[in-house]
Amino acid sequence: MATTIANLTAKADGSMEGVFATLRVNAPITVLPNANKSREDAPDFRVLNKRTGFEIGAGWFRTSQRSGKETVSFKLEAPEIGVVFGNLAPAPGGDETKKVILWNNPE
């Protein structure tokens, strides 16, 4: 079973806005394309807490081993939760602008 840790809405400029939520965290976030990548392995996206402006994560384009489709893999970090990994997926309901980040359980 996949656990949703963020609900997002994709914007025309390639950014996404929504809420990152766990049992301990409920934060409005913005996911911004990283137009100024300094290296090939630099993140493709930056994740910012909208309340504080602090960067709380990053995302990289990846190719799914199962489907072969391109996806975004996220690493989110905060003192309250440590490090959390997740993948971008379409949200239920079929609206192409709605996305979710699904938690990758390390077990």
Side-chain angles (χ1 to χ4, degrees):
M1 179 175 98
T3 301
T4 299
I5 58 172
N7 289 300
L8 303 167
T9 300
K11 305 292 183 183
D13 64 0
S15 68
M16 294 176 267
E17 291 188 351
V19 176
F20 169 53
T22 68
L23 292 175
R24 294 185 177 178
V25 176
N26 188 341
I29 61 172
T30 299
V31 180
L32 299 172
N34 185 10
N36 300 317
K37 288 178 63 164
S38 59
R39 300 184 326 265
E40 183 64 31
D41 62 346
D44 296 298
F45 294 92
R46 300 284 186 192
V47 182
L48 305 176
N49 181 317
K50 287 177 65 175
R51 279 191 209 122
T52 64
F54 297 149
E55 186 171 331
I56 62 166
W60 292 262
F61 285 117
R62 300 281 191 245
T63 302
S64 170
Q65 292 179 349
R66 278 193 207 161
S67 68
K69 293 181 182 178
E70 187 172 73
T71 187
V72 180
S73 177
F74 285 96
K75 177 182 178 184
L76 304 169
E77 193 167 357
E80 300 86 358
I81 58 167
V83 178
V84 175
F85 295 95
N87 291 321
L88 189 67
D95 183 343
E96 292 292 319
T97 65
K98 303 295 183 188
K99 309 289 182 190
V100 295
I101 298 177
L102 300 175
W103 175 51
N104 285 344
N105 186 339
E107 294 181 357

Short mmCIF file of all heavy atoms in Angstrom, two decimals, residues 2 5 11-14 18 21 23 26 34 46 51 57-59 65 68-70 77 84 92-94 96 100 104:
data_model
loop_
_atom_site.label_atom_id
_atom_site.label_comp_id
_atom_site.label_asym_id
_atom_site.label_seq_id
_atom_site.Cartn_x
_atom_site.Cartn_y
_atom_site.Cartn_z
N ALA A 2 0.55 2.20 -0.85
CA ALA A 2 1.30 3.45 -0.94
C ALA A 2 0.70 4.48 0.01
O ALA A 2 -0.50 4.60 0.14
CB ALA A 2 1.25 3.97 -2.36
N ILE A 5 2.20 11.42 1.04
CA ILE A 5 2.78 12.38 1.98
C ILE A 5 2.68 13.82 1.48
O ILE A 5 3.02 14.75 2.21
CB ILE A 5 4.25 12.03 2.32
CG1 ILE A 5 5.11 11.98 1.06
CG2 ILE A 5 4.32 10.73 3.11
CD1 ILE A 5 6.60 11.84 1.35
N LYS A 11 1.42 23.62 -11.99
CA LYS A 11 1.18 24.93 -12.59
C LYS A 11 1.75 24.95 -14.01
O LYS A 11 2.60 24.14 -14.36
CB LYS A 11 1.84 26.03 -11.75
CG LYS A 11 1.42 26.03 -10.29
CD LYS A 11 -0.02 26.42 -10.15
CE LYS A 11 -0.42 26.49 -8.68
NZ LYS A 11 -1.79 26.79 -8.48
N ALA A 12 1.30 25.92 -14.81
CA ALA A 12 1.74 26.03 -16.21
C ALA A 12 3.23 26.29 -16.34
O ALA A 12 3.85 25.90 -17.34
CB ALA A 12 0.96 27.14 -16.91
N ASP A 13 3.86 26.90 -15.32
CA ASP A 13 5.29 27.22 -15.39
C ASP A 13 6.18 26.05 -14.98
O ASP A 13 7.40 26.19 -14.89
CB ASP A 13 5.60 28.44 -14.55
CG ASP A 13 5.36 28.24 -13.06
OD1 ASP A 13 4.94 27.13 -12.65
OD2 ASP A 13 5.58 29.20 -12.29
N GLY A 14 5.60 24.88 -14.70
CA GLY A 14 6.38 23.70 -14.30
C GLY A 14 6.53 23.55 -12.81
O GLY A 14 7.05 22.54 -12.34
N GLY A 18 1.29 22.77 -2.98
CA GLY A 18 0.41 21.88 -2.24
C GLY A 18 0.80 21.80 -0.79
O GLY A 18 1.35 22.74 -0.21
N ALA A 21 2.34 16.53 4.28
CA ALA A 21 1.70 16.20 5.55
C ALA A 21 2.07 14.80 6.02
O ALA A 21 1.99 13.84 5.26
CB ALA A 21 0.18 16.32 5.43
N LEU A 23 2.20 12.62 10.20
CA LEU A 23 1.61 12.74 11.53
C LEU A 23 2.17 13.92 12.30
O LEU A 23 1.50 14.49 13.16
CB LEU A 23 1.82 11.45 12.32
CG LEU A 23 1.06 10.23 11.81
CD1 LEU A 23 1.46 8.99 12.60
CD2 LEU A 23 -0.43 10.45 11.88
N ASN A 26 2.66 19.39 8.86
CA ASN A 26 1.62 19.82 7.93
C ASN A 26 2.08 21.16 7.39
O ASN A 26 1.87 22.19 8.03
CB ASN A 26 0.27 19.93 8.64
CG ASN A 26 -0.85 20.19 7.66
OD1 ASN A 26 -0.64 20.62 6.54
ND2 ASN A 26 -2.06 19.92 8.10
N ASN A 34 14.48 23.62 -11.02
CA ASN A 34 15.81 24.16 -10.76
C ASN A 34 16.44 24.57 -12.09
O ASN A 34 17.15 23.79 -12.71
CB ASN A 34 16.67 23.14 -10.03
CG ASN A 34 18.02 23.70 -9.63
OD1 ASN A 34 18.27 24.88 -9.74
ND2 ASN A 34 18.90 22.82 -9.17
N ARG A 46 13.52 22.02 -6.53
CA ARG A 46 13.75 22.43 -5.15
C ARG A 46 12.40 22.46 -4.46
O ARG A 46 11.41 22.93 -5.03
CB ARG A 46 14.38 23.82 -5.07
CG ARG A 46 15.72 23.94 -5.76
CD ARG A 46 16.78 23.30 -4.94
NE ARG A 46 18.09 23.55 -5.54
CZ ARG A 46 19.17 22.92 -5.17
NH1 ARG A 46 19.12 22.01 -4.23
NH2 ARG A 46 20.32 23.17 -5.74
N ARG A 51 5.70 28.76 4.20
CA ARG A 51 5.60 29.63 5.38
C ARG A 51 6.95 30.29 5.70
O ARG A 51 7.01 31.46 6.04
CB ARG A 51 5.15 28.84 6.60
CG ARG A 51 3.68 28.62 6.66
CD ARG A 51 3.27 28.06 8.02
NE ARG A 51 2.09 27.25 7.84
CZ ARG A 51 1.97 25.98 8.15
NH1 ARG A 51 2.97 25.34 8.71
NH2 ARG A 51 0.86 25.33 7.92
N GLY A 57 13.70 20.14 0.71
CA GLY A 57 13.90 18.96 -0.10
C GLY A 57 14.28 19.28 -1.53
O GLY A 57 14.43 20.44 -1.92
N ALA A 58 14.40 18.20 -2.29
CA ALA A 58 14.78 18.31 -3.69
C ALA A 58 14.21 17.12 -4.45
O ALA A 58 13.83 16.11 -3.85
CB ALA A 58 16.30 18.33 -3.82
N GLY A 59 14.16 17.26 -5.76
CA GLY A 59 13.64 16.18 -6.60
C GLY A 59 14.49 16.00 -7.85
O GLY A 59 15.05 16.96 -8.38
N GLN A 65 11.98 1.75 -13.10
CA GLN A 65 12.47 0.44 -13.51
C GLN A 65 11.33 -0.46 -13.95
O GLN A 65 11.51 -1.31 -14.82
CB GLN A 65 13.26 -0.22 -12.38
CG GLN A 65 14.55 0.49 -12.08
CD GLN A 65 15.30 -0.15 -10.93
OE1 GLN A 65 14.78 -1.01 -10.22
NE2 GLN A 65 16.54 0.26 -10.74
N GLY A 68 9.34 2.05 -17.10
CA GLY A 68 10.18 2.73 -18.08
C GLY A 68 9.80 4.19 -18.27
O GLY A 68 10.40 4.90 -19.06
N LYS A 69 8.79 4.66 -17.53
CA LYS A 69 8.33 6.04 -17.64
C LYS A 69 9.17 6.96 -16.75
O LYS A 69 9.69 6.53 -15.72
CB LYS A 69 6.87 6.17 -17.22
CG LYS A 69 5.92 5.46 -18.15
CD LYS A 69 4.50 5.64 -17.67
CE LYS A 69 3.53 4.89 -18.57
NZ LYS A 69 2.15 5.02 -18.11
N GLU A 70 9.26 8.22 -17.18
CA GLU A 70 9.97 9.19 -16.38
C GLU A 70 9.11 9.62 -15.19
O GLU A 70 7.91 9.82 -15.33
CB GLU A 70 10.34 10.41 -17.23
CG GLU A 70 11.23 11.40 -16.48
CD GLU A 70 11.74 12.49 -17.37
OE1 GLU A 70 10.94 13.38 -17.73
OE2 GLU A 70 12.93 12.48 -17.69
N GLU A 77 13.38 16.58 3.96
CA GLU A 77 14.09 16.49 5.22
C GLU A 77 13.67 17.60 6.17
O GLU A 77 13.53 18.76 5.76
CB GLU A 77 15.59 16.60 4.93
CG GLU A 77 16.49 16.22 6.04
CD GLU A 77 17.93 16.06 5.57
OE1 GLU A 77 18.22 16.19 4.38
OE2 GLU A 77 18.76 15.80 6.44
N VAL A 84 12.94 11.67 4.41
CA VAL A 84 11.84 10.90 3.83
C VAL A 84 12.02 10.92 2.32
O VAL A 84 12.29 11.96 1.72
CB VAL A 84 10.47 11.53 4.20
CG1 VAL A 84 9.34 10.80 3.51
CG2 VAL A 84 10.27 11.53 5.70
N PRO A 92 -5.38 10.34 -7.61
CA PRO A 92 -6.62 9.68 -8.03
C PRO A 92 -7.61 10.70 -8.59
O PRO A 92 -7.62 11.85 -8.18
CB PRO A 92 -7.15 9.07 -6.73
CG PRO A 92 -5.98 9.00 -5.81
CD PRO A 92 -5.08 10.13 -6.20
N GLY A 93 -8.42 10.27 -9.52
CA GLY A 93 -9.46 11.12 -10.07
C GLY A 93 -9.26 11.54 -11.51
O GLY A 93 -10.18 12.04 -12.13
N GLY A 94 -8.07 11.37 -12.04
CA GLY A 94 -7.86 11.63 -13.45
C GLY A 94 -7.54 13.06 -13.85
O GLY A 94 -7.32 13.34 -15.02
N GLU A 96 -5.18 15.78 -14.62
CA GLU A 96 -3.75 15.78 -14.96
C GLU A 96 -2.94 16.79 -14.15
O GLU A 96 -1.72 16.63 -14.01
CB GLU A 96 -3.55 16.06 -16.45
CG GLU A 96 -4.04 14.94 -17.35
CD GLU A 96 -3.22 13.67 -17.22
OE1 GLU A 96 -1.97 13.77 -17.12
OE2 GLU A 96 -3.81 12.58 -17.20
N VAL A 100 0.53 13.58 -6.47
CA VAL A 100 0.82 13.21 -5.09
C VAL A 100 2.27 12.77 -5.02
O VAL A 100 2.86 12.35 -6.01
CB VAL A 100 -0.09 12.09 -4.56
CG1 VAL A 100 -1.54 12.54 -4.48
CG2 VAL A 100 0.02 10.83 -5.39
N ASN A 104 8.28 6.35 0.05
CA ASN A 104 9.03 5.13 -0.19
C ASN A 104 9.44 4.57 1.17
O ASN A 104 10.36 5.08 1.80
CB ASN A 104 10.30 5.39 -1.01
CG ASN A 104 10.01 5.64 -2.45
OD1 ASN A 104 8.93 5.34 -2.93
ND2 ASN A 104 10.97 6.20 -3.15
#
